[in-house]
Amino acid sequence: METAAPSAVIVAIDGPSGTGKSSTSKAVAAKLGLRYLDTGAQYRAITWWMITNGVDTEDPQAVAVAASKPTIVSGTDPAAPTITVDGVDASAPIRTQAVTSKVSAVSAVPEVRTLITELQRSIAAGAEGGIVVEGRDIGTTVLPDADLKVFLTASAEARAARRSGELRGKEAADLATTREALIKRDAADSGRKTSPLAKADDAVEVDTTELTLEQVIECVVTLVEEKRAGRK
């Protein structure tokens, strides 16, 4: 007797920087045979394009006018996620401090969010077998009907330590500076008028402060499996 294939499931994972969203989302997707989408990379990609093309990222009107010009393509293989802008591999340049310092301003522009949100919904709808989508407004705005919503949190100190560990060379920052930058980013993302960072009412909150990455992954995998089991 053949075993039925697991039903397709859409998982939304939200939370601020440094909570383990990316590592958790990729691992969960890989373990469960799902696709994976890093929505933050898309906002970084459009920000990188703006910087590269001389658009004033502090001018919302200029950003809005230019928003539809770049073509952003996201690969959804959790083992090797890719992102290109106008056919150019942008996976490395979008992670620079220059982009990090400007992405909140660019992503707060309504025209940018509308375009990227449509792109994200299209990718999720076309993901055969299901997908794990991570970001800041997935459960509240992008995919409000997601099968499972998870909101990851952690103390500012724990998040700063993790982010500092991710930085290399001249971009490495001390803990206090990193913590200050994270808090500033949180305020910008939570305070923007369009699709702010927020926990969906029906999201499961997971505090990762005292948990190892493996523990967080196992927790989310269990939540997804319970959701699938509940459908049978």
Side-chain angles (χ1 to χ4, degrees), residues 147-160:
D147 299 297
L148 173 66
K149 302 174 187 178
V150 179
F151 192 85
L152 300 183
T153 63
S155 69
E157 289 72 22
R159 292 162 51 210

Side-chain angles (χ1 to χ4, degrees), residues 126-176:
E128 187 175 345
I131 190 169
V132 177
V133 184
E134 62 140 312
R136 287 172 167 75
D137 65 340
I138 311 306
T140 54
T141 302
V142 181
L143 300 169
D145 295 324
D147 299 297
L148 173 66
K149 302 174 187 178
V150 179
F151 192 85
L152 300 183
T153 63
S155 69
E157 289 72 22
R159 292 162 51 210
R162 292 168 186 168
R163 288 308 304 270
S164 291
E166 293 171 0
L167 300 174
R168 295 290 182 271
K170 63 183 180 181
E171 291 207 345
D174 63 72
L175 277 177

Side-chain angles (χ1 to χ4, degrees), residues 90-102:
S91 55
I94 66 171
R95 302 296 173 183
T96 61
Q97 186 57 38
V99 171
T100 298
S101 65
K102 299 180 184 301

